[in-house]
Amino acid sequence: MRKRTLVSVLFLFSLLFLLPDQGRKLHANAEDSSDEVTDPPKVEEPIGGHGGLSTDSDVVHRESESISKKTLRSSAEKFEFQAEVSRLMDIIINSLYSNKDIFLRELISNASDALDKIRFLALTDKDVLGEGDTAKLEIQIKLDKAKKILSIRDRGIGMTKEDLIKNLGTIAKSGTSAFVEKMQSSGDLNLIGQFGVGFYSAYLVADYIEVISKHNDDNQYVWESKADGKFAVSEDTWNEPLGRGTEIRLHLRDEAGEYLEESKLKDLVKRYSEFINFPISLWASKEVETEVPVEEDESNDEETETTSTEEEKEEDAEDEDGEKKQKTKKAKETVYEWELLNDVKAIWLRSPKEVTEEEYTKFYHSLSKDFTDEKPMAWSHFNAEGDVEFKAVLYVPPKAPHDLYESYYNSNKANLKLYVRRVFISDEFDELLPKYLSFLKGLVDSDTLPLNVSREMLQQHSSLKTIKKKLIRKALDMIRKLAKEDPDEIHDDDKKDVEKSGENDEKKGQYTKFWNEFGKSIKLGIIEDAGNRNRLAKLLRFETTKSDGKLTSLDQYIKRMKNGQKDVFYITGSSKEQLEKSPFLERLIKKGYEVIFFTDPVDEYLMQYLMDYEDKKFQNVSKEGLKVGKDSKAKELKEAFKELTKWWKGNLASENVDDVKISNRLADTPCVVVTSKFGWSANMERIMQSQTLSDANKQAYMRGKRVLEINPRHPIIKELKDRVASDPEDESVKETAQLMYQTALIESGFILNDPKDFAARIYNSVKSSLSISPDAVADEEVEAAEEPETTEATETKSDDLAGGLNIEAEPVEQQEENTKDEL
C-alpha cells in the first residue's frame, strides 16, 4: 500500500514541473498565428452527398459572407445581361403575378431536359454516365429553412463555363421580344416556359440565385446573379463536387416562405411534374419510433411506481459477459430521407397492349383525384401520327358531376390536361375538346406542339385544331364501342353470336348507365357540332311505343319501320305517361306505327337541328303534315264536312285559329289542336313560357299557327254537323263548339289564355245537363248578428263549465279542507 502511495506522489510532482513549459509553448503558437482565421472550414452540406471538400478557411469565410449578404463574389468574372433578359427579369420581379408556383415546374422541366440529353449520349457512349451515384439519372429537391434556400439538383449533362454565360445570360430564341412586349402589356406569365425563358421564372420567388454546374468536358463552375443587370461566373472550388449535372440554389424572398414547406413542394410536383420520366425526390422529414435508453433517475422512479414483472427481471439480469442490460423505451424521433414524389407511371408512353386494366383504373384515379372504388366506364389509349404527333388517354367517368349542366355555357372548366414532353402545361385549354365532351377526363401529351407563341395564338393554331379533330373522333369511337359491347344494346339477330362468344355480364347495362349520366351531352353535341351530327345521332337513345320501357336507338327504330313508312315519328312532352295517353297517337298505334317519346326539355331544341337520319325525315305527330297511310274516303269526308269546318273557323276567329280541317290522326277523340310545321309545338310553348326572363311579346311571332283538326267519324262531330246545318246561328251550338275547342287545347298540351272563361262554360254545360236555369245563382249568405260579450258572461264561465260537468262549484278554502279530510 505504501509503495503505491509513493509512486502516486512522484507522478504528481513531475506534472507540476511540466505544465508551465507547455503553457508557454501554447501561448507562443497563438501569437505566431494571430493573423490566421481560427474557425474551422465550413463546407455546405451537399444534396444527398456524404462528406465534403476541404478548402482554405479564408475562401470559405469569404464565400459564406458573400452568400449571407447576397452580393456577387469579388473573385468572379462579371458579365452584363443581354438587354432583353434585363427587361424580362425586371417585369418578372416587379409584376403582380398571382401564380408563382410555375417556377418549380420550369426548373424541373429544365432538369428533365438535361437528363434526357445525357441519356441520349449514353446510348452511344456508356462512359459519359460515370459510376456510382453520378450514373443515377434523377432529380433531387432539398430545403434549408434556416438559410431560406431551396435547391434543385439533377445529374444531367451539365453546363460548361461557356454554356452558363450563353444559356443564362442571353436569350437567342425567336419570338422573345414579342413575349416581353406581351408581358409588359398584359402581365400574363402563365405560359412562361413556352418561350424558352423558364429559368428566369425562378426570380418570381428568389432575389438571389446560384447555379452550380459540372460538364464532363469542363471544370465545375458557379453562375450567380441578383437579377440587377449583372451576373458572375467563377470556378467552383468550395462546394461539393457534383460529378456531373447542375444544382440550382434559390435564396427565397421573405414573401416566398411558403415554398420552404415540404407539403407545398409535394403538391406542386404532383400537379405539374407528376409524369416526368425521371424520379423526383424530396429530402423530407418523418417521425419514426425508436428505442432510446432510459436515464438512471427515470428508471429508479419507474421502479418505485410499478411492481417488478418478469420482463423487468429479465432486463435487469446480467448477460453472458456479466454486463447488465440497459433499459430502453419507445420515443418518436424526426428523421430525414429521400421521398419519391412521382411514383405514378406515365402509362400513355407505353403500348396499349402492355397496360393492364388495373393500371388504367389506377391511373384514372390518380389523374381525376377520384379516390372511390368505381372503375371508369370506358377508356381510349392511342397515339396519333402525322403532321402533329401526340399521345392521349381519354376516360368516361363512372358518374356525372352534380353541376355538369348547371353552368354549361358559362363555365370554362375542362377535365383534359395538356402536357408537353411529360410536363404539365395547363388544364384550361377548352379548345382541345368541345363543351359537350367536357365530362371526359384524360390528358394529351405532345412532343411536337409548337409552344413559342402566346396563349391566344396557340388556341387558334392549326396544330391544336388537328389535335381537337382527332380527339373528338376517338372520343366518339370510345362511346360507340361502349354501346357495341353492351349485351342489352345488341340486336336480336346478333344475340346468338354473343352467347357463343361468352360475353361476360360486366358490360351489361353499361351504355344505359352512360346514357342516364351523360345522355344530355350527346344531345347538346348534335345541336352544337354540325360536322359530327350523324356520328352523335347514332349514340342517341330513347323510349318508344314499342320499346317496352327499354332504351332503343335510331338504327333499331329504322330496322322496325313498316313497309312504305318514310318518316320517323316522334312526340314531345313532359313525361312518358302523359304522352302515352296523347290523342295524337291514337291512329298511329292502331295502324302499328312506332313513335319515339322525347321527354327532356332539350329535346325540343334537339329536333330543330336533327332534321333527318339515314335519308329518313323526322315528323312531329303533333304538327301539321302527318301522313298515315291513305284514306279512300278522304275527299268525300272533306266535302261532306265543308260547311261545318267553314262555320267553325268563323266562330274561332277571335282565338287566332288558322284553319279547321278533317283529321287523319284521330280515332277516339273528337278533335285536337295542332301547330304549323315550322312553329313551336305546345310543349315548346310551355317551356318558353316557364323561362324566368321570358318576354311574351317577343315570343308571339314564334308561336305556330293553330289548326283545329276534327274527327269526322266521331258522334259528337256528326251531331254538331247536323245542328249547324239546321241552324248555324244557334247560340247553344256556338257555345258547344267553343267549349270543344278549349278542351282540345288542354288535351293537346296548350295553356289556356283565359282559364276563367273555360271554367264558366263548363259550369253552364253542367247546369244544362242538370236542367238548371242558366240564370240561377248561388244563395247569398245570411250573416248572424254578433252580440257583445258582457262581464257577467265572463264571470259565469267557470260555473257553466262546472254545471256542464255536473260538478258543484265550491269555494277554494272548502276544496282544500275536503282534501285534508280525505288524506
Side-chain angles (χ1 to χ4, degrees):
M1 185 70 181
R2 291 179 180 177
K3 291 181 179 179
R4 289 183 180 177
T5 305
L6 182 61
V7 171
S8 299
V9 171
L10 292 173
F11 178 71
L12 287 172
F13 272 109
S14 62
L15 283 176
L16 289 174
F17 281 109
L18 290 171
L19 280 173
D21 293 338
Q22 187 68 20
R24 282 192 295 271
K25 290 180 181 179
L26 290 172
H27 181 70
N29 290 338
E31 289 179 347
D32 293 341
S33 59
S34 59
D35 295 334
E36 294 181 4
V37 180
T38 58
D39 293 336
K42 297 179 181 179
V43 180
E44 295 188 36
E45 185 181 358
I47 298 184
H50 302 280
L53 179 66
S54 297
T55 59
D56 181 72
S57 58
D58 285 340
V59 175
V60 173
H61 183 74
R62 185 174 66 252
E63 299 306 332
S64 61
E65 184 181 1
S66 174
I67 291 175
S68 65
K69 294 181 179 179
K70 295 185 179 178
T71 58
L72 303 185
R73 294 175 176 84
S74 58
S75 60
E77 189 177 353
K78 307 295 190 304
F79 297 90
E80 295 285 339
F81 274 116
Q82 185 185 15
E84 286 186 352
V85 176
S86 297
R87 290 171 58 200
L88 172 64
M89 288 191 291
D90 181 63
I91 294 170
I92 291 174
I93 294 169
N94 298 312
S95 65
L96 298 176
Y97 186 52
S98 60
N99 184 19
K100 297 180 173 65
D101 296 347
I102 63 162
F103 84 92
L104 188 62
R105 175 192 76 182
E106 299 303 329
L107 297 182
I108 291 178
S109 177
N110 291 343
S112 176
D113 290 341
L115 291 166
D116 271 328
K117 291 177 182 177
I118 196 65
R119 184 174 61 177
F120 177 76
L121 293 176
L123 295 176
T124 55
D125 184 6
K126 294 183 179 180
D127 295 336
V128 298
L129 287 178
E131 298 177 353
D133 290 341
T134 307
K136 296 179 180 177
L137 300 182
E138 59 185 353
I139 300 170
Q140 295 176 327
I141 303 172
K142 195 170 185 180
L143 294 170
D144 187 338
K145 292 186 178 182
K147 296 181 180 179
K148 296 183 179 179
I149 296 176
L150 170 61
S151 301
I152 298 98
R153 174 175 175 176
D154 66 77
R155 302 183 191 277
I157 194 170
M159 289 181 280
T160 63
K161 178 182 179 182
E162 184 180 353
D163 292 335
L164 288 170
I165 298 171
K166 181 180 178 181
N167 295 342
L168 304 184
T170 62
I171 302 179
K173 193 170 182 65
S174 60
T176 304
S177 297
F179 171 70
V180 173
E181 293 173 3
K182 184 69 178 177
M183 284 197 301
Q184 285 179 321
S185 61
S186 66
D188 182 12
L189 306 183
N190 265 336
L191 303 181
I192 186 172
Q194 299 179 5
F195 293 83
V197 292
F199 167 76
Y200 303 106
S201 64
Y203 285 102
L204 292 168
V205 297
D207 52 10
Y208 176 70
I209 296 178
E210 294 176 273
V211 180
I212 307 163
S213 193
K214 172 67 172 71
H215 192 279
N216 286 339
D217 299 335
D218 204 347
N219 296 329
Q220 184 166 310
Y221 282 87
V222 177
W223 180 99
E224 55 183 333
S225 175
K226 291 178 61 180
D228 56 355
K230 299 178 182 179
F231 66 93
V233 178
S234 55
E235 186 171 350
D236 186 7
T237 57
W238 54 90
N239 289 306
E240 175 219 3
L242 298 181
R244 187 197 63 253
T246 302
E247 179 184 338
I248 299 176
R249 293 176 183 169
L250 308 180
H251 297 254
L252 299 177
R253 302 169 182 269
D254 293 336
E255 61 270 20
E258 60 181 315
Y259 300 105
L260 290 172
E261 300 297 328
E262 293 176 8
S263 58
K264 177 68 173 180
L265 297 179
K266 289 178 183 179
D267 290 341
L268 292 182
V269 173
K270 287 285 185 183
R271 174 170 172 77
Y272 291 107
S273 308
E274 188 175 15
F275 303 111
I276 290 290
N277 276 345
F278 305 97
I280 303 173
S281 301
L282 174 68
W283 188 246
S285 61
K286 71 173 185 178
E287 289 188 346
V288 296
E289 285 190 351
T290 57
E291 296 285 342
V292 296
V294 179
E295 297 293 336
E296 186 175 350
D297 295 340
E298 185 179 352
S299 176
N300 292 335
D301 293 340
E302 290 179 357
E303 287 178 0
T304 57
E305 291 177 2
T306 61
T307 306
S308 298
T309 62
E310 293 298 328
E311 290 184 6
E312 289 174 343
K313 290 178 181 179
E314 291 179 4
E315 288 178 359
D316 292 338
E318 293 184 355
D319 59 12
E320 295 178 357
D321 299 332
E323 295 180 359
K324 189 176 181 180
K325 291 182 179 179
Q326 189 175 14
K327 291 183 179 180
T328 60
K329 66 177 182 178
K330 289 184 177 180
K332 289 186 177 181
E333 182 183 356
T334 301
V335 298
Y336 285 83
E337 62 181 21
W338 291 112
E339 180 181 341
L340 185 64
L341 302 183
N342 57 336
D343 56 344
V344 179
K345 301 300 181 183
I347 64 172
W348 69 86
L349 301 178
R350 296 156 56 187
S351 171
K353 296 179 181 179
E354 300 175 356
V355 186
T356 64
E357 183 175 326
E358 290 75 18
E359 287 177 315
Y360 278 121
T361 302
K362 181 182 177 181
F363 183 71
Y364 166 76
H365 289 151
S366 172
L367 186 70
S368 63
K369 309 305 178 189
D370 179 3
F371 302 107
T372 63
D373 295 332
E374 291 189 88
K375 298 195 303 183
M377 291 190 201
W379 54 81
S380 178
H381 178 190
F382 59 93
N383 300 334
E385 298 179 351
D387 297 337
V388 179
E389 296 183 359
F390 66 92
K391 301 175 180 65
V393 180
L394 300 177
Y395 288 95
V396 177
K399 287 185 179 179
H402 66 280
D403 58 345
L404 180 58
Y405 303 111
E406 289 181 4
S407 56
Y408 178 77
Y409 288 105
N410 297 328
S411 175
N412 293 324
K413 185 178 179 181
N415 292 317
L416 202 63
K417 300 179 184 293
L418 176 63
Y419 285 76
V420 176
R421 292 185 294 277
R422 277 73 63 199
V423 178
F424 175 69
I425 299 300
S426 177
D427 56 2
E428 298 177 359
F429 282 102
D430 52 354
E431 296 298 321
L432 285 175
L433 276 179
K435 277 191 177 294
Y436 69 89
L437 290 177
S438 62
F439 65 89
L440 296 178
K441 297 182 183 291
L443 60 84
V444 178
D445 186 4
S446 174
D447 290 340
T448 59
L449 189 65
L451 295 175
N452 58 342
V453 292
S454 66
R455 179 200 297 268
E456 293 79 7
M457 293 177 64
L458 177 63
Q459 289 181 336
Q460 301 299 325
H461 199 278
S462 58
S463 298
L464 204 63
K465 293 177 181 178
T466 303
I467 292 176
K468 179 179 180 179
K469 186 176 179 180
K470 292 183 179 180
L471 286 175
I472 294 174
R473 188 175 69 250
K474 288 290 186 180
L476 297 184
D477 288 345
M478 172 178 61
I479 299 172
R480 186 169 57 188
K481 184 180 178 183
L482 181 66
K484 188 177 180 181
E485 294 178 348
D486 187 348
D488 290 344
E489 289 282 319
I490 298 171
H491 299 165
D492 294 336
D493 298 341
D494 301 329
K495 283 186 178 179
K496 294 181 181 179
D497 297 335
V498 173
E499 291 174 1
K500 291 179 181 178
S501 63
E503 184 75 26
N504 55 36
D505 292 335
E506 285 187 11
K507 297 178 180 178
K508 189 173 183 179
Q510 279 292 90
Y511 194 76
T512 301
K513 180 182 176 183
F514 166 82
W515 184 258
N516 292 334
E517 295 288 338
F518 306 105
K520 191 174 291 186
S521 295
I522 302 300
K523 295 176 181 179
L524 291 169
I526 293 175
I527 296 171
E528 300 170 3
D529 191 353
N532 292 291
R533 189 162 290 158
N534 193 62
R535 286 193 184 96
L536 289 163
K538 288 184 179 294
L539 303 175
L540 273 179
R541 295 295 182 271
F542 38 77
E543 291 186 56
T544 71
T545 54
K546 292 185 178 181
S547 65
D548 297 326
K550 296 181 180 180
L551 295 178
T552 189
S553 65
L554 286 173
D555 289 330
Q556 291 170 326
Y557 178 95
I558 292 175
K559 193 172 183 179
R560 294 194 295 260
M561 284 175 63
K562 291 185 64 176
N563 292 332
Q565 182 181 346
K566 296 181 179 179
D567 296 334
V568 176
F569 299 128
Y570 73 93
I571 186 171
T572 60
S574 57
S575 69
K576 176 189 172 185
E577 291 73 19
Q578 176 197 3
L579 294 178
E580 286 176 331
K581 302 172 184 177
S582 174
F584 296 109
L585 305 182
E586 291 176 355
R587 195 169 179 212
L588 289 166
I589 292 175
K590 278 190 175 183
K591 287 186 172 289
Y593 289 99
E594 187 175 8
V595 182
I596 297 171
F597 295 136
F598 282 133
T599 57
D600 196 337
V602 76
D603 292 334
E604 284 286 354
Y605 302 92
L606 166 71
M607 299 315 295
Q608 294 178 21
Y609 292 88
L610 191 62
M611 307 300 294
D612 56 74
Y613 178 79
E614 300 293 340
D615 298 328
K616 303 291 183 182
K617 299 290 184 181
F618 286 91
Q619 174 63 51
N620 189 336
V621 299
S622 67
K623 290 188 176 184
E624 278 188 308
L626 179 67
K627 295 178 181 179
V628 185
K630 293 182 179 181
D631 190 348
S632 58
K633 296 183 179 181
K635 290 184 179 180
E636 296 176 11
L637 291 171
K638 185 178 181 181
E639 188 63 30
F641 285 83
K642 183 177 181 180
E643 186 178 350
L644 175 63
T645 55
K646 184 178 180 181
W647 173 85
W648 212 335
K649 180 180 179 182
N651 279 276
L652 296 176
S654 61
E655 300 289 344
N656 194 28
V657 175
D658 188 57
D659 202 359
V660 180
K661 295 180 178 180
I662 302 298
S663 178
N664 67 340
R665 73 184 84 207
L666 297 176
D668 303 319
T669 304
C671 56
V672 292
V673 178
V674 301
T675 56
S676 57
K677 191 169 185 178
F678 300 103
W680 281 351
S681 65
N683 187 53
M684 188 63 173
E685 282 191 23
R686 179 182 59 79
I687 292 172
M688 295 307 296
Q689 288 177 11
S690 65
Q691 299 297 319
T692 306
L693 303 177
S694 61
D695 188 342
N697 296 326
K698 292 182 180 180
Q699 291 176 4
Y701 74 95
M702 282 302 297
R703 292 174 182 166
K705 294 181 179 180
R706 296 172 183 176
V707 176
L708 177 65
E709 290 191 358
I710 61 176
N711 182 1
R713 296 175 176 82
H714 200 278
I716 295 178
I717 302 298
K718 288 180 180 181
E719 181 64 23
L720 197 61
K721 171 180 172 291
D722 294 339
R723 295 283 185 96
V724 170
S726 61
D727 186 5
E729 299 300 326
D730 188 347
E731 290 298 326
S732 63
V733 176
K734 290 182 179 180
E735 185 78 9
T736 301
Q738 185 72 19
L739 181 60
M740 288 184 65
Y741 170 70
Q742 290 179 330
T743 305
L745 274 176
I746 295 175
E747 192 174 18
S748 301
F750 291 93
I751 299 175
L752 292 177
N753 296 328
D754 190 357
K756 182 70 175 177
D757 178 64
F758 172 71
R761 294 181 192 278
I762 289 292
Y763 296 145
N764 288 335
S765 178
V766 172
K767 286 179 181 179
S768 177
S769 65
L770 298 175
S771 300
I772 299 174
S773 172
D775 299 328
V777 295
D779 295 337
E780 292 186 5
E781 181 182 356
V782 180
E783 296 183 1
E786 294 184 0
E787 295 182 2
E789 187 176 349
T790 62
T791 309
E792 279 182 23
T794 306
E795 292 175 352
T796 58
K797 278 183 180 179
S798 59
D799 295 340
D800 293 341
L801 179 61
L805 298 174
N806 296 321
I807 300 174
E808 184 178 358
E810 295 179 339
V812 175
E813 294 82 359
Q814 185 64 38
Q815 291 178 10
E816 291 178 355
E817 206 171 303
N818 293 341
T819 304
K820 291 178 181 178
D821 294 339
E822 290 174 3
L823 293 173

